[in-house]
Amino acid sequence: MRDRREDARGVRPARRGEDAFEALNHTHPGNPWAEGTTRLLRGAVEGDRGGIETGVEGLLERHRNRVDEADHRALHATVFAAEPTALTLLAWDRGLEYEPQSRFVPSSFLRETLSKLT
């Protein structure tokens, strides 16, 4: 399981005013979580639907692999992927709707939640 302190290494530089995307991407070079999250966030901020799709799909692939690993499987992970769902909701909120067609990102939840945010 990933240590949450590792994630903070990407957040601290952003708080100092450095490029948040570069800080996040350098949390763990080559790490699928960092790469997928960076692509998705950059896509949402820059209005790049392709970046959102690539980022969501990368995070979902990582999630599916973790669900397949019995050592790291948590019950909630077998039905719901929190990070891709939250980041997809961010993209929808910015007007960049992309539906990943995955049971791990329930579109009904996105639609219901988005209406409550606006």
Side-chain angles (χ1 to χ4, degrees), residues 30-61:
N31 178 291
W33 174 85
E35 290 176 2
T37 303
T38 302
R39 281 193 188 104
L40 203 160
L41 288 173
R42 190 182 300 270
V45 169
E46 296 177 353
D48 176 14
R49 192 170 188 278
I52 292 167
E53 292 177 20
T54 301
V56 169
E57 293 305 324
L59 289 173
L60 285 172
E61 180 179 345

Side-chain angles (χ1 to χ4, degrees), residues 58-115:
L59 289 173
L60 285 172
E61 180 179 345
R62 178 183 174 272
H63 184 80
R64 284 187 291 270
N65 290 339
R66 291 203 59 180
V67 167
D68 290 342
E69 294 174 9
D71 300 354
H72 296 102
R73 187 180 314 147
L75 180 59
H76 72 277
T78 63
V79 295
F80 183 72
E83 290 169 338
T85 300
L87 293 168
T88 300
L89 183 60
L90 171 70
W92 281 31
D93 187 51
R94 298 191 56 89
L96 299 160
E97 189 169 324
Y98 168 64
E99 196 165 333
Q101 304 298 316
S102 170
R103 69 182 174 97
F104 296 120
V105 180
S107 59
S108 59
F109 171 83
L110 295 171
R111 284 187 179 82
E112 185 176 318
T113 305
L114 185 62
S115 66

Side-chain angles (χ1 to χ4, degrees), residues 15-35:
R15 287 183 59 203
R16 292 191 301 261
E18 296 172 20
D19 184 334
F21 297 118
E22 290 303 315
L24 184 60
N25 199 37
H26 287 88
T27 302
H28 283 290
N31 178 291
W33 174 85
E35 290 176 2

